[in-house]
């Protein structure tokens, strides 16, 4: 162990510096807005300049509805609700919620479709929190999406309970986690099993319709999840998605029919409002979490069961489709909480910065009930003036509440808004407040002319709206409080870690007896310069949001560039064997380029994708059935090739425990192939595997992996195996650990996993052959060769390509949530978190780090006579260079997010990239630490402590 510590102390020091640096920087960068503990109360209104409601039963506003039904359809895309005529091209999933379109067409003044715009990140927890509090989301909450904490900020659910409203909830159990003691009745169902499309929805349907007849609630919330899960697993353009939308249409038709039947005078739903809404959208692949239009655009359908006149044109932002008589308006989700609160007559949430939306508010506030004439003429002019007076007063309360919050927040928060911003806010509010005094006096005279009061009221509404819009936009641009001192400290410690990394590599170079920089061989200079420029280009590309979006393609381009430069150098050296390896390597980079393109689609490895996209590549026209057979057979062939390679390694150089470990992996490959065949559309083996269960094989593979890893970790402690063949021993240990990890990673990845594993194996072999270009024999010293940094850089770029080729990318919608449920039907936090981590980082980090000894262990014509005492130093040198390249990339990401902290896409793109890179860095440090212990175990016994001391 002493020998390992001589090398490993650097990994411990560097990992410690990285953790401290990231924690400090994160504290400054992701410092969320201060969540104030204050709540709004009815008595607070006495401090405002606004009218209080004359009704003794009212609070801030007069209740406009008695009962509110909120039906949340998770991941409801805007084009699920809006008619297909609003879009350039009709898609199969459009016009399925026909009942909503029909209601909006037949009753345009009492039923309306809104395009609702969410604020990213668009995870469900973020959106529910934003919808109920009326505040902008804080990025740090994304980490709590799998274990939602109770909301401590004031919110409209809390206001309902404080003011005696009864709330019933059914569906997604996230609501009961966010509001654990708020519901009079709740019927929660587990929400994280994305493979389950029906449990939550069936539970909602079971309780929703009977609840409409009950009188023990004022607000009913039903949260359906089937569309969200169907998108994650099958994508938007899929049969399960169409079936779910049709099911929702049937359910909504029954709900609307029941509400209409009970909406007559004196009936239960005489004064009810129905809201059918999404919390966020989703991409065509079924993902969400980012800030793309598909993800932030969702919909709200609002329907009142009263006969109402149309809204004045000044406040109607609708775009209409004349052929279908449907108009669609736009509403920020930020406005939802305050608008709903005003309709129910409860105080607005203390931290809400939204505006009471006039179009949604007008659907329920119907003080202008006219008998025959539903226009704003004659008596309607008076009714219009009355409504404008009410709405202006509501906006007065709304603006006062927002101004109060901004003042309290700025006084309580460490940083808050700038003095210029606060001055402008105060100026806008003061002007609107001065106008309000005049407006109140004018409206107090009953005999006043409508021609005079209407323009004044409209100007007052515009003044308040301008104030509220400015505050919302200011908050969006500057809400997050960046602590630049902590961010600078974190960057400084990260730069210190890079210095330590470089110092450790320099000491290792001295252990060779030479320095890479002082070599007379031009190959080393060529490799070092190329590596430097490639790392510099990759780091600089992180400043651009476009390059981050195309990161996989950029990494593949750089990898191909190194291959071309290596091929050119091999021609100069007249090395035919290396020329062939370089050509194969370039072919593999081209294949990975295609895989990265396909990897952007979650359905890439499924027969459905193959059959629907049979001629997308290179104009090849192949029958869909052939693609289907290829999609089923090729991954199994790849598994067979991998198994054959492992079998050959057993027969040639394996002994003891490693032999049994690799045999276990071959057994796992067989089980994985059987698992895929059982799910095949070609061979129906469900009857033969009836008693085995769909979860049995994955769990068996997991168990085999645990046993393998336990044997590799425990047996060497009690059994020291003496061997003079250091290279052979290192190769066996590498094959053992890679084979043990690969089976679990492959079954989580699905059928694409075997192809990615085979491609990475071939690419690694080519890199190993190409490393000979960068090796040279030290002049005057027989048997000592130097490994340049270029192969390690290529290995690092390959790891990035593997991340994207396996269907991942650096965003929260790039996580393959379905992998967490391979072998499980229910959500259990720890097992699912582990499986999701393995699926995400399996190829790009776990196998990549444990596969680094390939460049030392594999025999090469350039290192046949190398002394065995150099193996641990060279191995540790490779680990350190790989870690340095990863750390430089992470440092560049940290610098880039610091520079771009005010960029429009900071939370939608740069922040997720930062999270993925720093998590990847810590994971890489941890894996290098574990790998160094694993590979260096017993090295002092085979080489000798004294010799290691001399080398070090």
């Amino acid at each position: 162990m002493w020998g390992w510590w001589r090398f490993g102390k650097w990994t411990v020091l560097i990992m410690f510096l990285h953790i401290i640096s990231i924690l400090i920087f994160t504290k400054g960068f992701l410092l969320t807005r201060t969540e104030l503990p204050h709540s709004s109360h009815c008595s607070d209104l006495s401090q405002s300049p606004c009218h209080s409601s004359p009704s003794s039963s009212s609070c801030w506003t007069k209740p406009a509805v008695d009962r509110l039904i909120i039906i949340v359809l998770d991941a409801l895309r805007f084009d699920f609700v809006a008619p297909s005529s609003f879009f350039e091209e009709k898609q199969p999933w459009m016009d399925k919620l026909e009942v909503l379109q029909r209601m909006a067409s037949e009753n345009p003044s009492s039923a309306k479709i809104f395009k609702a715009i969410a604020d990213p990140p668009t995870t469900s927890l973020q959106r529910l929190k934003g919808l109920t509090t009326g505040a902008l989301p804080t990025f740090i909450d994304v980490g709590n999406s799998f274990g939602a904490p109770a909301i401590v900020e004031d919110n409209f659910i809390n206001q309902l309970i404080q003011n005696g409203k009864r709330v019933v909830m059914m569906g997604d159990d996230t609501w009961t986690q966010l509001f654990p003691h708020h519901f009079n009745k709740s019927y929660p169902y587990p929400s994280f099993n994305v493979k389950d499309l029906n449990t939550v929805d069936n539970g909602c349907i079971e309780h929703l319709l009977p609840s409409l007849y009950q009188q023990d609630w004022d607000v009913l919330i039903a949260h359906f999840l089937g569309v969200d899960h169907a998108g994650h697993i099958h994508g938007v353009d899929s049969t399960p998605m169409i079936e779910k939308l049709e099911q929702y249409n049937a359910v909504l038709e029954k709900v609307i029919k029941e509400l209409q039947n009970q909406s007559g005078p004196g009936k239960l739903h005489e004064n009810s409002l129905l809201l059918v809404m999404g919390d966020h959208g989703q991409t065509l692949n079924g993902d969400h979490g980012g800030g793309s239009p598909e993800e932030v655009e969702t919909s709200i359908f609002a329907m009142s069961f009263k006969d109402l006149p149309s809204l004045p044109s000044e406040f109607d932002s609708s775009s209409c489709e004349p052929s279908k008589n449907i108009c669609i308006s736009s509403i920020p989700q930020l406005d939802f909480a305050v608008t709903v609160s005003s309709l129910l007559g409860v105080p607005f949430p203390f931290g809400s910065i939204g505006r009471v939306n006039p179009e949604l508010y007008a659907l329920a506030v119907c003080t202008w009930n006219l008998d025959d004439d539903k226009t704003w003429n004659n008596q309607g002019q008076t009714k219009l003036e009355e409504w404008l007076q009410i709405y202006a007063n509501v906006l007065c309360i709304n603006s006062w509440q927002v101004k109060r919050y901004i003042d309290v927040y700025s006084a309580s928060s460490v940083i808050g808004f700038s003095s210029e911003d606060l001055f402008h806010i105060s100026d806008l509010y003061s002007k609107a407040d001065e106008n309000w005094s005049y407006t109140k006096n004018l409206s107090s005279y009953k005999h006043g002319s409508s021609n005079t009061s209407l323009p004044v009221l409209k100007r007052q509404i515009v003044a308040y709206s301008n104030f509220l819009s400015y505050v919302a936009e200011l908050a969006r641009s500057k809400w997050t409080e960046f602590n630049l001192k902590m961010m600078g400290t974190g960057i400084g410690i990260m730069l210190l870690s890079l210095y330590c990394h470089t110092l450790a590599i320099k000491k290792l170079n001295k252990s060779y007896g030479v320095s890479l920089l002082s070599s007379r061989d031009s190959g080393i200079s060529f490799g070092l310069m190329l590596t430097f420029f490639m790392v510099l280009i990759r780091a600089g590309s992180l400043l651009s949001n476009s390059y981050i979006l195309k990161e996989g393609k950029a990494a593949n381009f750089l990898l191909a560039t190194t291959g071309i430069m290596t091929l050119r150098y091999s021609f100069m050296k007249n090395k035919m064997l290396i020329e062939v390896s370089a050509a194969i390597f370039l072919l593999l980079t081209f294949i990975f380029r295609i895989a990265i393109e396909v990897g952007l689609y979650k359905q890439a490895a499924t027969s459905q994708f193959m059959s629907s996209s049979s001629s997308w590549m290179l104009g090849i026209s192949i029958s869909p059935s052939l693609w289907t057979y290829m999609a089923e057979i090729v991954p199994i062939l790849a598994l067979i090739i991998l198994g054959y390679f492992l079998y050959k390694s057993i027969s040639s150089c394996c002994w003891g425990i490693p032999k049994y470990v690799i045999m276990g992996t071959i057994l796992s490959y067989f089980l994985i192939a059987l698992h895929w065949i059982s799910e095949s559309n070609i061979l129906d083996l469900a009857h033969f595997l009836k008693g085995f269960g769909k979860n049995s094989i994955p769990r068996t593979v997991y168990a085999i992996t645990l046993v393998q890893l336990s044997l590799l970790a425990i047996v060497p402690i009690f059994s020291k195996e003496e061997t003079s063949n250091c290279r052979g021993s290192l190769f066996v240990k590498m094959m053992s650990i890679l084979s043990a990890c690969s089976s679990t990673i492959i079954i989580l990845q699905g059928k694409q996993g075997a192809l990615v594993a085979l491609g990475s194996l071939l690419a690694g072999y080519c890199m190993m052959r190409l490393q000979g270009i960068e090796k040279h024999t030290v002049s005057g010293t027989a048997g000592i060769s130097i490994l340049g940094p270029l192969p390690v850089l290529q290995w690092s770029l390959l790891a990035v390509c593997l991340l994207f080729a396996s269907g991942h990318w650096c965003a929260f919608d790039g996580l393959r949530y379905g992998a967490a449920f391979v072998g499980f039907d229910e959500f259990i936090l720890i097992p699912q978190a582990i499986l999701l981590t393995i699926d995400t980082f399996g190829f790009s980090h776990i196998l990549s780090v444990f596969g680094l000894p390939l460049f030392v262990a594999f025999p090469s014509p350039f290192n046949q006579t190398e002394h065995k005492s150099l193996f641990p130093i060279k191995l540790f040198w490779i680990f350190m260079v790989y870690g340095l390249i990863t750390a430089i990339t992470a440092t560049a990401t940290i610098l880039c997010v610091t520079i771009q902290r005010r960029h429009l896409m900071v939370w939608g793109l740069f922040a997720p990239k930062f999270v993925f890179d720093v998590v990847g860095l810590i994971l890489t440090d941890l894996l290098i630490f574990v790998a160094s212990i694993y590979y260096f175990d017993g090295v002092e016994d085979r080489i000798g402590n004294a010799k290691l001391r001399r080398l070090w």
Side-chain angles (χ1 to χ4, degrees):
M1 195 65 185
W2 182 92
W4 173 85
W5 177 248
R6 297 286 290 177
F7 299 104
K9 62 185 179 183
W10 290 100
T11 63
V12 175
L13 173 63
I14 291 168
M15 181 167 58
F16 174 77
L17 290 175
H18 285 167
I19 293 173
I20 297 299
S21 169
I22 291 169
L23 287 176
I24 294 176
F25 182 87
T26 302
K27 185 68 175 175
F29 177 63
L30 297 183
L31 184 63
T32 63
R33 61 180 175 83
T34 305
E35 293 187 348
L36 303 180
H38 307 293
S39 296
S40 297
H41 303 281
C42 288
S43 58
D44 296 344
L45 193 62
S46 60
Q47 305 168 21
S48 78
C50 313
H51 289 309
S52 59
S53 174
S55 172
S56 59
S57 61
S58 301
C59 188
W60 284 17
T61 60
K62 182 180 179 180
V65 296
D66 297 327
R67 313 188 95 196
L68 177 65
I69 302 97
I70 301 175
I71 298 178
V72 181
L73 307 180
D74 207 290
L76 182 71
R77 285 169 59 99
F78 175 60
D79 57 6
F80 286 168
V81 179
S84 58
S85 55
F86 277 81
F87 304 94
E88 294 182 359
E89 183 180 355
K90 183 175 180 179
Q91 299 295 343
W93 59 84
M94 295 180 180
D95 298 329
K96 299 304 177 185
L97 298 179
E98 179 269 338
V99 64
L100 303 184
Q101 297 179 11
R102 189 174 73 249
M103 291 296 106
S105 176
E106 294 175 356
N107 310 283
S109 62
S110 57
K112 199 171 190 66
I113 295 174
F114 294 85
K115 177 194 283 188
I117 309 299
D119 290 290
T122 48
T123 58
S124 292
L125 169 67
Q126 295 271 51
R127 289 293 80 237
L128 291 183
K129 189 171 182 179
L131 284 168
T132 55
T133 62
L136 290 173
T138 50
F139 183 84
I140 201 68
D141 287 336
V142 174
N144 295 322
S145 290
F146 288 99
I151 294 180
V152 296
E153 255 187 315
D154 194 17
N155 56 83
F156 90 82
I157 299 291
N158 183 57
Q159 287 297 333
L160 291 174
I161 303 305
Q162 285 186 359
N163 290 275
K165 303 291 185 180
R166 300 160 298 173
V167 186
V168 171
M169 192 285 305
M170 57 200 68
D172 186 348
D173 62 353
T174 304
W175 286 90
T176 56
Q177 297 174 40
L178 293 174
F179 310 101
H181 307 294
H182 292 68
F183 302 115
N184 294 73
K185 287 184 181 179
S186 62
Y187 307 98
Y189 296 90
S191 58
F192 287 111
N193 186 358
V194 292
K195 295 190 296 182
D196 183 356
L197 307 186
N198 299 311
T199 298
V200 177
D201 289 357
N202 291 342
C204 286
I205 294 170
E206 177 186 353
H207 298 287
L208 176 57
L209 292 174
S211 297
L212 296 179
Y213 297 94
Q214 298 171 3
Q215 301 183 23
D216 59 350
W217 56 267
D218 301 298
V219 177
L220 184 149
I221 300 170
H223 192 141
F224 290 75
L225 276 176
V227 161
D228 179 68
H229 289 183
H232 281 304
I233 299 299
H234 304 286
V236 170
D237 190 5
S238 64
T239 300
M241 179 65 77
I242 304 299
E243 292 173 348
K244 268 294 160 190
L245 292 173
E246 291 173 345
Q247 180 191 27
Y248 287 177
N249 187 70
V251 171
L252 292 173
E253 192 153 18
K254 292 179 182 178
V255 169
I256 292 173
K257 182 179 179 181
E258 294 300 330
L259 292 175
Q260 287 176 328
N261 291 338
Q262 302 179 61
S263 63
K267 291 189 177 182
L268 186 60
H269 293 290
E270 177 186 6
N271 194 23
S272 294
L273 179 68
L274 171 66
L275 296 177
V276 180
M277 59 186 294
D279 54 348
H280 51 74
Q282 58 177 304
T283 65
L284 292 179
N285 302 324
D287 303 317
H288 57 88
S292 69
E294 289 180 310
E295 295 167 277
V296 300
E297 291 178 1
T298 181
S299 185
I300 295 178
F301 169 82
M303 183 174 183
S304 174
F305 298 92
K306 292 184 177 181
D307 209 7
L308 306 175
S310 299
L311 188 70
S313 59
E314 294 93 332
F315 307 107
D316 192 341
S317 62
S318 302
S319 59
C320 300
E321 177 58 46
S323 62
K324 290 199 173 185
N325 193 32
I326 294 179
C327 294
I328 295 179
S329 300
S330 181
I331 177 174
Q333 280 192 350
L334 193 67
D335 296 348
F336 178 80
V338 68
T339 304
V340 170
S341 297
S342 66
L343 292 174
L344 291 167
V346 298
F348 305 162
F350 187 88
S352 171
I353 58 171
R355 179 188 66 145
V356 177
N357 183 270
E359 294 166 272
L360 183 55
Y361 187 72
L363 286 175
V365 181
C366 48
T367 61
W368 55 83
N369 292 327
L370 307 178
D371 296 325
D372 300 316
D373 187 6
K374 292 181 185 176
T375 62
W376 301 108
N377 298 317
N378 304 323
Q379 181 186 358
Q381 285 291 101
T382 304
K383 295 296 182 181
L384 171 59
E385 182 183 352
E386 184 181 349
W387 183 85
L388 289 177
Q389 177 68 42
I390 292 174
Y391 182 60
N393 185 66
V394 169
L395 283 187
C396 175
I397 298 172
N398 191 179
S399 300
W400 165 79
Q401 167 261 323
V402 170
K403 180 63 166 59
R404 177 184 66 164
Y405 172 65
I406 294 297
D407 290 341
V408 174
Y409 181 85
S410 299
S412 305
S413 180
V414 177
I415 301 176
F417 294 100
S418 68
S419 56
E420 278 187 28
D421 294 331
L422 291 175
F423 175 80
H424 194 46
I425 289 173
S426 298
D427 184 55
L428 285 174
Y429 182 74
S430 297
K431 290 179 180 178
D433 193 34
E434 289 174 7
N435 292 337
W436 177 244
S437 300
Y438 172 73
T439 305
K440 281 196 301 183
N441 294 331
L442 181 66
S443 62
S444 64
Y445 297 102
K446 300 295 184 182
H447 57 277
S449 171
S450 295
N451 294 331
T452 304
S453 59
L454 284 177
V456 173
L457 286 169
K458 290 177 181 178
R459 284 198 300 270
Q460 183 64 52
I461 290 172
V462 169
Y464 280 136
S465 297
N466 289 340
F467 165 76
L468 293 168
S469 298
Y470 176 78
V471 172
E473 289 306 313
L474 181 66
R476 283 192 177 96
S477 64
K478 297 186 177 181
W479 195 260
T480 304
E481 302 171 355
F482 298 111
N483 190 324
L484 296 180
K485 289 183 179 179
M486 297 190 73
M487 293 171 67
T489 303
I491 292 173
I493 297 175
M494 182 62 75
L495 294 175
L496 176 62
S497 74
L498 295 182
Y499 172 76
C500 293
H501 236 131
T502 307
L503 183 62
I505 293 173
K506 186 176 180 181
K507 289 180 70 68
L508 285 167
N509 289 338
K510 290 182 178 179
S511 299
Y512 275 114
V514 298
S515 171
L516 289 175
L517 298 176
S518 63
S519 172
R520 294 179 299 173
D521 192 328
S522 62
I524 294 297
S525 175
F526 161 77
L528 190 61
M529 289 178 60
L530 184 58
T531 301
F532 174 78
F533 281 114
M534 289 297 164
V535 172
L536 188 64
I537 291 171
R538 175 157 160 70
S541 69
L542 299 176
L543 277 169
S544 168
N545 61 320
S546 299
Y547 276 97
I548 291 178
L549 287 170
K550 306 294 183 183
E551 183 181 5
K553 299 176 185 178
N556 181 265
F557 172 79
L558 295 177
L559 183 62
T561 302
T562 62
I564 293 172
M565 297 298 291
T566 305
L567 180 62
R568 176 183 177 276
Y569 196 76
S570 67
F571 281 127
M572 294 172 58
K573 293 290 184 178
N574 295 321
K575 296 179 179 179
M576 181 60 67
L577 181 62
I578 294 179
E579 290 174 10
V580 174
S581 298
I584 296 174
F585 179 72
L586 288 176
L587 177 62
L588 285 171
T589 59
F590 174 72
I591 295 174
F592 276 120
R593 174 66 177 79
I594 297 174
I596 290 169
E597 193 73 44
V598 177
L600 297 176
Y601 299 90
K602 295 297 178 65
Q603 312 100 307
T606 64
S607 302
Q608 182 180 359
F609 175 83
M610 294 296 186
S611 61
S612 64
S613 309
S614 57
S615 59
W616 71 276
M617 183 177 60
L618 302 179
I620 299 174
S621 180
I622 301 177
S623 65
S625 59
L626 180 57
W627 278 107
T628 302
Y629 280 102
M630 290 177 62
E632 301 286 354
I633 294 173
V634 172
I636 296 177
L637 290 177
L639 266 185
I640 293 174
I641 295 173
L642 290 171
Y644 175 76
F645 177 78
L646 291 178
Y647 173 77
K648 293 295 291 182
S649 68
I650 291 177
S651 59
S652 61
C653 59
C654 259
W655 55 86
I657 292 300
K659 180 177 181 180
Y660 296 105
V661 169
I662 293 177
M663 288 176 61
T665 301
I666 295 174
L667 173 62
S668 293
Y669 286 174
F670 173 77
L671 292 175
I672 293 171
L674 186 64
H675 180 65
W676 290 344
I677 293 173
S678 68
E679 297 179 339
S680 171
N681 296 324
I682 301 175
L683 299 174
D684 186 9
L685 298 182
H687 176 73
F688 298 98
L689 299 173
K690 186 176 181 180
F692 202 54
K694 64 177 182 178
N695 295 330
S696 300
I697 290 179
R699 292 183 179 183
T700 303
V701 172
Y702 301 156
I704 292 174
T705 299
L706 285 175
V707 171
Q708 290 172 311
L709 294 177
S710 299
L711 289 174
L712 292 174
I714 297 173
V715 171
I717 297 176
F718 303 99
S719 174
K720 297 294 183 181
E721 194 166 336
E722 296 294 335
T723 176
S724 59
N725 186 0
C726 290
R727 181 183 294 114
S729 175
L730 186 61
F731 178 75
V732 168
K733 296 192 78 171
M734 181 188 70
M735 290 302 302
S736 300
I737 190 70
L738 291 180
S739 65
C741 297
S742 64
S743 55
T744 293
I745 296 173
I746 288 173
I747 198 170
L748 290 176
Q749 288 279 332
K751 294 177 182 178
Q752 64 180 355
L755 299 174
V756 175
L758 182 60
S760 61
L761 179 66
L762 294 175
Y765 176 79
C766 291
M767 290 180 191
M768 181 277 303
R769 302 298 298 177
L770 292 174
Q771 72 172 313
I773 292 181
E774 306 306 322
K775 285 192 173 185
H776 72 289
T777 301
V778 179
S779 178
T781 308
I784 299 180
S785 62
I786 302 288
L787 175 64
L790 184 57
V792 185
L793 171 68
Q794 291 176 323
W795 191 255
S796 175
L797 292 173
L798 176 65
V800 178
C801 292
L802 293 178
L803 175 70
F804 288 86
S806 57
H808 303 88
W809 52 90
C810 295
F812 297 106
D813 57 350
L815 297 174
R816 299 173 66 254
Y817 296 104
F821 294 91
V822 176
F824 294 88
D825 288 327
E826 297 180 356
F827 177 78
I828 307 172
L829 180 61
I830 295 178
Q832 265 62 65
I834 293 173
L835 292 180
L836 187 62
T837 301
I838 294 174
D839 172 75
T840 305
F841 298 107
F843 283 117
S844 61
H845 290 73
I846 298 174
L847 295 186
S848 295
V849 171
F850 281 105
L852 281 170
L854 175 72
F855 298 106
V856 176
F858 217 98
S860 166
F862 298 92
N863 60 8
Q864 292 290 337
T865 61
E866 195 166 58
H867 196 280
K868 65 180 182 179
S869 62
L870 293 176
F871 277 90
I873 300 176
K874 293 183 65 175
L875 180 59
F876 195 76
W877 185 89
I878 289 176
F879 280 136
M880 294 301 293
V881 172
Y882 185 87
L884 177 61
I885 293 172
T886 306
I888 290 174
T889 303
T891 304
T893 300
I894 291 173
L895 290 171
C896 290
V897 297
T898 303
I899 296 170
Q900 304 281 22
R901 64 186 182 277
R902 297 300 181 190
H903 192 280
L904 180 65
M905 296 294 293
V906 64
W907 302 125
L909 187 65
F910 288 100
K913 171 62 177 170
F914 162 76
V915 171
F916 272 78
D917 274 12
V918 297
V919 170
L921 176 63
I922 297 300
L923 183 61
T924 299
D925 288 340
L926 183 62
L927 289 171
I928 288 176
F929 174 77
V930 174
S932 64
I933 294 177
Y934 172 73
Y935 287 119
F936 279 73
D937 178 59
V939 69
E940 59 267 42
D941 296 329
R942 289 192 291 269
I943 297 176
N945 289 336
K947 188 171 292 185
L948 280 174
R949 288 191 188 98
R950 289 196 302 272
L951 286 168
W952 191 249

